[in-house]
Amino acid sequence: MIQFIINTLHSIPHFNFHFQQIKPTFVLNVDSEYTQSLILLCGLVLSVALLLLLTIIITWVCQCCARTDTTVKPRRKVKRLSVILFVLSIFCFFFLGFCLFGNDKINRGVQSSIVSLHDVNNQIKIGLTTSGQLNEISRNASTHIKNLEQIVLEKSKKPGTNQTMVSEIDTLLTSLSDSIDTVMKKLEILRKDFSNLSVLEKTKNLAELVEFERWLLLVILLSIMLCVLFAGVISFCRQSKKGAVGFSGVGILIFIVCWALLAIVLPLAVALADFCGQGGDFLADTVSQPILKSLAFYSECDPRPTHDNLPPHLGISNMSDELSNMQGVKTKLDSLMDTAFNKSEDVQKASSFLLDDGTRSLKTIGALENSFACYAYKEDLKTMKEGLCGQAVLGSAVVTLCLILLALFMFTLLLIVSKSWNLFTRLGNDYVEVGDDDPFFPRGNTDTSIPVDIYGTHMFNPRTRERTEPSTGTTTATANGGEERDPLWSRAPPVTANAAGGPSTVGWRNGSVSGTLLRETGSVRSPYDDRYGNYNDQYDL
């Protein structure tokens, strides 16, 4: 999967400013043709974005100039348009979510690579520090050998000294001196091979700074786009014209931001794939050749916890062999000097210094072997490669693909949302302000101060509106302007004679009689029964 993504991005044609195809070899140089190819790729994305933006603007202008009948709005068409806009917004939400996922994937991969690079850099520093300590021990040992040679030379001038043994002692001292010089030369070469550590340190610091700013900027922009889309979804669900128009205005901005991000992310993804595909030339120009050989050895070696699992070109194993052989030579030398000089105190004291140097050198060479052993770098280099050329490549591919789909869906969404300007309705404000008084229950009034007129029987009564008889007198206007001033419940209904000569009650509706004959009784019933109490006295206002 990762290799397929690298090969796909690496196979994108690269052209310079003269539109000549070049090799996709990663080069981190502003004036290189490779940088020109990345700039042309960015310009291509921006050109497509400008063309789509022009299409949106022309569509909007045509939509504004088109004449539509706003009084006829098919409910099915409005609902279908709302559903389409909602579905497109949901897809945009998914793409934004995957963009955030890819951004986090890139951040994790780069951060793991930075941590591994920091560990490798520290491990090399520890090895160089150890080599410096071994070099200092070797200098002291060389000085002690010269002092011992001077003492042997003085002792050999005494009469009765065995010159043959002195000659053998001198040979052994020369061998020790040559071994010390060999170790010091190899340590000097080792320090020169790893002297360019400042490049690793600068790369680590620059990667930390750029990655943090890249991650934060992308998170902020994607979060803003999420908020705008969320507001758009709400307006689509409510079928609000004001919300649709507002989303169109802000949506064109996030459309531009989306394409601007794509114009930056796509060239960077291609550059990362080129580095992971063919980054050997760039590393050869950046770091020294011995470091490249060491990296090649550490990427293929078996991380056994042994001291001999070392890069052969560093010569650390040879130094260890030289120091081990020196211990055998030192033992033989002590035996000869004790015999030749009869265990002289001066000779033994000078020899003890050399013995201490040999012991310290063996301990230091063991620490140096641990510092440059395979198991000290194998996992860090593996994590660095998997983080940068694994998680980061996958995350950049996810972000690039989702940004492309998001840009296309945003283009479609902005085209379709213009159709809702004339179909959606403006939502009104059907609420009462907090400071307004209720006309039926004003503030600061009791129940006794409520106007009685609003409880009249004529309220919302179609019979009363159509009646031609005088008013009941329950309202203020009719009570003051009419002749009848008694309340409605204090008056008896009109009595007429029926066909049998008995009384009957009638009511009025459009001036006609609508009453019925009271057959049960021979007299007119009172307006209210006694069980209701004396309402005439209680409500006579």
Side-chain angles (χ1 to χ4, degrees):
M1 179 75 179
I2 302 297
Q3 192 62 38
F4 172 76
I5 294 174
I6 293 175
N7 294 335
T8 302
L9 294 176
H10 187 61
S11 62
I12 294 178
H14 293 64
F15 297 91
N16 56 13
F17 286 163
H18 300 287
F19 297 99
Q20 298 176 352
Q21 190 170 359
I22 61 174
K23 294 182 179 180
T25 303
F26 181 81
V27 178
L28 193 60
N29 190 358
V30 179
D31 299 330
S32 63
E33 291 184 344
Y34 180 79
T35 306
Q36 295 178 6
S37 65
L38 297 181
I39 294 175
L40 285 180
L41 187 59
C42 177
L44 178 62
V45 175
L46 292 178
S47 300
V48 175
L50 184 61
L51 180 62
L52 296 180
L53 181 62
L54 184 61
T55 304
I56 293 174
I57 293 176
I58 293 175
T59 304
W60 284 9
V61 171
C62 295
Q63 187 67 25
C64 292
C65 297
R67 294 183 178 181
T68 57
D69 188 5
T70 58
T71 59
V72 180
K73 299 178 181 179
R75 184 176 182 83
R76 182 177 299 177
K77 185 176 181 180
V78 173
K79 185 178 181 180
R80 184 167 58 248
L81 180 62
S82 301
V83 171
I84 293 175
L85 294 175
F86 179 78
V87 171
L88 290 175
S89 301
I90 293 300
F91 275 105
C92 292
F93 274 120
F94 276 113
F95 296 142
L96 283 174
F98 279 109
C99 284
L100 290 174
F101 167 76
N103 183 46
D104 186 69
K105 197 75 173 177
I106 296 174
N107 182 258
R108 289 186 178 184
V110 174
Q111 288 296 336
S112 63
S113 299
I114 292 174
V115 172
S116 299
L117 180 61
H118 179 70
D119 294 339
V120 169
N121 191 21
N122 288 340
Q123 192 68 25
I124 294 176
K125 287 182 178 180
I126 292 173
L128 294 178
T129 303
T130 306
S131 66
Q133 295 175 356
L134 182 59
N135 188 48
E136 186 66 23
I137 294 172
S138 300
R139 288 179 181 177
N140 294 334
S142 179
T143 302
H144 293 157
I145 290 174
K146 290 180 180 179
N147 293 336
L148 187 58
E149 287 177 349
Q150 186 67 27
I151 294 173
V152 169
L153 180 61
E154 292 178 358
K155 293 289 184 180
S156 64
K157 293 179 180 179
K158 292 181 181 182
T161 306
N162 191 345
Q163 296 298 323
T164 303
M165 297 182 68
V166 170
S167 179
E168 292 180 2
I169 292 172
D170 186 65
T171 302
L172 293 176
L173 288 174
T174 302
S175 177
L176 289 176
S177 180
D178 292 341
S179 298
I180 291 296
D181 293 339
T182 302
V183 171
M184 293 179 66
K185 288 179 181 179
K186 291 184 178 296
L187 289 175
E188 185 66 23
I189 295 174
L190 181 64
R191 287 198 301 271
K192 288 182 178 179
D193 291 342
F194 291 93
S195 61
N196 199 13
L197 288 180
S198 59
V199 176
L200 299 180
E201 190 69 24
K202 291 179 180 178
T203 302
K204 180 184 74 68
N205 295 333
L206 181 62
E208 287 180 347
L209 179 62
V210 172
E211 175 57 23
F212 175 75
E213 293 183 352
R214 183 207 63 80
W215 175 83
L216 183 62
L217 178 62
L218 199 59
V219 167
I220 292 175
L221 292 178
L222 293 178
S223 300
I224 293 175
M225 296 170 71
L226 278 173
C227 295
V228 173
L229 279 175
F230 183 75
V233 168
I234 294 177
S235 63
F236 301 152
C237 293
R238 299 181 63 192
Q239 299 178 3
S240 172
K241 179 179 180 180
K242 187 185 298 184
V245 173
F247 174 78
S248 301
V250 184
I252 198 71
L253 297 180
I254 65 174
F255 174 81
I256 296 173
V257 171
C258 181
W259 279 97
L261 287 177
L262 181 60
I264 297 174
V265 171
L266 180 59
L268 292 180
V270 173
L272 182 59
D274 293 338
F275 173 77
C276 295
Q278 294 181 356
D281 296 337
F282 170 73
L283 293 177
D285 296 335
T286 306
V287 298
S288 61
Q289 192 67 24
I291 294 180
L292 288 179
K293 292 181 179 180
S294 300
L295 293 177
F297 171 80
Y298 291 135
S299 61
E300 298 176 356
C301 65
D302 184 15
R304 301 189 308 270
T306 56
H307 292 180
D308 58 347
N309 197 4
L310 298 166
H313 64 279
L314 297 181
I316 299 177
S317 299
N318 296 333
M319 287 187 283
S320 179
D321 295 339
E322 290 287 344
L323 293 175
S324 298
N325 294 332
M326 286 176 61
Q327 298 302 312
V329 173
K330 179 64 174 55
T331 302
K332 186 177 181 180
L333 178 64
D334 291 340
S335 178
L336 289 174
M337 288 190 298
D338 289 343
T339 304
F341 303 115
N342 196 17
K343 296 182 179 181
S344 174
E345 185 178 354
D346 295 339
V347 175
Q348 288 183 349
K349 184 177 180 180
S351 178
S352 64
F353 290 144
L354 190 60
L355 179 62
D356 182 64
D357 293 336
T359 304
R360 292 172 56 196
S361 63
L362 288 177
K363 293 180 180 179
T364 308
I365 194 64
L368 185 62
E369 289 176 342
N370 288 329
S371 300
F372 289 96
C374 176
Y375 61 83
Y377 296 91
K378 179 72 174 181
E379 292 300 325
D380 288 330
L381 292 178
K382 182 180 179 181
T383 303
M384 189 186 306
K385 183 178 180 180
E386 290 179 353
L388 191 62
C389 295
Q391 297 185 31
V393 170
L394 180 61
S396 62
V398 170
V399 173
T400 303
L401 180 61
C402 290
L403 282 178
I404 293 175
L405 295 175
L406 177 63
L408 295 178
F409 271 81
M410 281 297 301
F411 170 73
T412 307
L413 183 63
L414 291 176
L415 287 181
I416 298 178
V417 76
S418 61
K419 300 291 184 180
S420 65
W421 295 350
N422 295 323
L423 292 178
F424 287 172
T425 58
R426 185 184 298 273
L427 299 178
N429 297 326
D430 299 332
Y431 58 89
V432 178
E433 294 293 338
V434 177
D436 295 345
D437 289 337
D438 193 330
F440 294 100
F441 298 97
R443 296 181 180 179
N445 295 331
T446 60
D447 295 340
T448 56
S449 61
I450 299 176
V452 181
D453 296 340
I454 65 173
Y455 298 103
T457 55
H458 68 287
M459 296 294 290
F460 305 103
N461 192 346
R463 297 181 178 180
T464 306
R465 290 195 297 268
E466 298 172 357
R467 192 173 57 195
T468 58
E469 279 72 21
S471 173
T472 58
T474 57
T475 59
T476 305
T478 57
N480 295 331
E483 297 179 356
E484 299 178 0
R485 299 189 179 273
D486 293 335
L488 179 63
W489 51 82
S490 62
R491 282 174 282 148
V495 180
T496 59
N498 53 16
S504 65
T505 57
V506 295
W508 295 271
R509 183 172 183 178
N510 295 330
S512 62
V513 177
S514 60
T516 58
L517 180 63
L518 297 177
R519 295 181 174 87
E520 290 82 0
T521 60
S523 62
V524 180
R525 293 193 302 178
S526 62
Y528 297 99
D529 294 337
D530 293 338
R531 64 178 179 270
Y532 294 106
N534 190 3
Y535 284 91
N536 189 24
D537 297 335
Q538 185 176 354
Y539 294 97
D540 191 2
L541 302 178

